[in-house]
Amino acid sequence: MKTIRFGKSDLEVPVIGLGCMRLTELERWDIPQYIWHCISLGVNFFDHADIYGGGECETMFGESLKEIGIPRDQIILQSKCGIVPGWMYDNSYAHIIRCVDETLKRLDTEYLDILLVHRPDALVEPEEVAKAFDELYTKGKVRYFGVSNHKPSQIELLKTCVKQELQTNQIQFSIPFSNIISTGMEANMNSEGAIDRGGDVLNYCRLNSMTIQAWSPFQSGRGAFVDNNDGYPDLNWALGEISAKYNVTKSTIAAAWILRHPAKMQTIVGTMNYYRMLEISRAAEIELTREEWYRLYLSSGHILP
């Protein structure tokens, strides 16, 4: 499995990671085998959040990992906190500390490799986030830090107090859901794609050596686009032709499209199907041509000025 440098750190991560939000869809006795299969493919990066399954996903993962007996230093565990389901976001010192302690207990581990602030909190006090990060880092409970779904200005606000490098920003990104691309491509145009919804987050992350983690790589914002011939007929035609050329699936090519970008992104895949993960992992071996990349971009409905 191809790896990339994680932000400015000395950590190397696989370009494909497993998002564990749907882990509860598996039977408990199937989870250890699935984790083992992912690791055998080189997908040893596991993305969690304290709200996934109400915490049950972390519990099931922790129990399964213990059953497999994989040494802790052979896997990379990431989790996120800050969402109080149903009614608010909370990035306060007390909430972050409590969530991390509960996550560590559920995962049955002494430390997280990476902790992300899950969503921007309108009432955030950067001093409290910094206090929490300092304590977690000093006590060895978290090694690296980052954010998810944050705009550059929100990251800069945190950085006024946070001492640790913010190594990553996990954002939604796929071929059709790619405003972070179109806002630059359609600059100085009166078009839908020119509207900057992310604060130029793509270039910000590149300039600051933050690894972009792409979540929902097969979703359009209106549902799945792979094999959705009603919603994305041109895109699926292009995916079909290019996947046939490389003898892989459409999902493989959709992931390869993300990995082709020179920002050196990491793709977080949420499938709980071993065979689909096997196919998607092959994206790490494919480098689309410039022509193929732009063909997929345009066939999803984007324009070039």
Side-chain angles (χ1 to χ4, degrees):
M1 171 63 66
K2 180 181 178 182
T3 63
I4 55 173
R5 183 183 178 189
F6 186 68
K8 295 179 181 178
S9 75
D10 56 0
L11 180 65
E12 291 286 320
V13 298
V15 293
I16 303 291
L18 177 67
C20 296
M21 185 176 69
R22 299 187 178 92
L23 204 64
T24 53
E25 295 178 3
L26 296 177
E27 299 292 344
R28 281 186 176 268
W29 52 81
D30 290 330
I31 296 174
Q33 184 179 21
Y34 187 59
I35 294 173
W36 176 262
H37 282 315
C38 287
I39 294 172
S40 71
L41 294 172
V43 182
N44 68 335
F45 187 104
F46 301 96
D47 174 64
H48 292 271
D50 59 350
I51 63 166
Y52 290 170
E56 187 65 15
C57 292
E58 290 181 335
T59 298
M60 295 169 71
F61 187 93
E63 292 172 350
S64 298
L65 196 64
K66 187 174 182 179
E67 181 178 333
I68 298 171
I70 295 290
R72 175 64 180 86
D73 61 1
Q74 292 187 17
I75 64 168
I76 301 169
L77 291 181
Q78 172 176 284
S79 194
K80 303 180 288 292
C81 70
I83 298 178
V84 180
W87 67 292
M88 72 173 183
Y89 298 152
D90 187 350
N91 294 337
S92 66
Y93 161 80
H95 186 76
I96 292 173
I97 295 298
R98 181 172 65 253
C99 287
V100 171
D101 284 341
E102 291 173 353
T103 284
L104 294 177
K105 183 177 180 180
R106 288 191 293 264
L107 288 172
D108 194 17
T109 183
E110 295 182 352
Y111 69 94
L112 288 174
D113 294 284
I114 307 157
L115 174 70
L116 307 186
V117 176
H118 205 161
R119 286 277 181 179
D121 175 8
L123 303 180
V124 68
E125 298 180 54
E127 298 85 354
E128 293 213 8
V129 177
K131 181 181 177 182
F133 283 9
D134 282 344
E135 181 174 322
L136 293 169
Y137 181 78
T138 301
K139 291 185 175 180
K141 294 181 178 181
V142 178
R143 296 185 171 180
Y144 303 101
F145 299 87
V147 296
S148 180
N149 307 300
H150 276 57
K151 291 184 176 182
S153 59
Q154 294 166 327
I155 297 172
E156 285 297 313
L157 179 62
L158 292 177
K159 287 168 68 174
T160 60
C161 296
V162 171
K163 299 175 184 177
Q164 293 78 18
E165 289 284 353
L166 298 177
Q167 308 286 4
T168 186
N169 191 6
Q170 186 179 113
I171 59 178
Q172 185 172 1
F173 183 57
S174 69
I175 302 174
F177 197 96
S178 50
N179 176 256
I180 64 171
I181 300 290
S182 67
T183 189
M185 298 296 294
E186 300 175 41
N188 199 35
M189 291 189 67
N190 186 23
S191 57
E192 176 68 20
I195 299 172
D196 186 359
R197 296 178 173 85
D200 201 19
V201 67
L202 172 59
N203 287 326
Y204 175 87
C205 288
R206 294 184 74 181
L207 288 167
N208 288 274
S209 299
M210 293 181 71
T211 296
I212 290 178
Q213 295 180 337
W215 62 270
S216 286
F218 311 115
Q219 298 286 321
S220 67
R222 304 192 306 270
F225 64 86
V226 177
D227 289 326
N228 181 358
N229 293 312
D230 292 329
Y232 294 92
D234 294 339
L235 176 55
N236 276 280
W237 182 265
L239 284 169
E241 289 195 339
I242 296 172
S243 63
K245 170 188 172 181
Y246 290 97
N247 193 29
V248 295
T249 65
K250 293 179 182 178
S251 293
T252 309
I253 297 301
W257 184 86
I258 295 172
L259 300 182
R260 174 62 175 83
H261 196 278
K264 296 182 180 179
M265 303 181 192
Q266 184 185 35
T267 302
I268 304 299
V269 178
T271 183
M272 293 293 115
N273 183 293
Y274 167 71
Y275 295 103
R276 189 156 187 260
M277 177 58 85
L278 175 64
E279 285 298 321
I280 293 170
S281 69
R282 296 182 63 189
E285 307 166 5
I286 296 172
E287 182 169 341
L288 298 177
T289 66
R290 183 178 294 266
E291 292 79 6
E292 290 166 343
W293 192 92
Y294 271 101
R295 180 187 176 190
L296 292 168
Y297 178 74
L298 294 173
S299 67
S300 68
H302 293 296
I303 64 171
L304 292 181

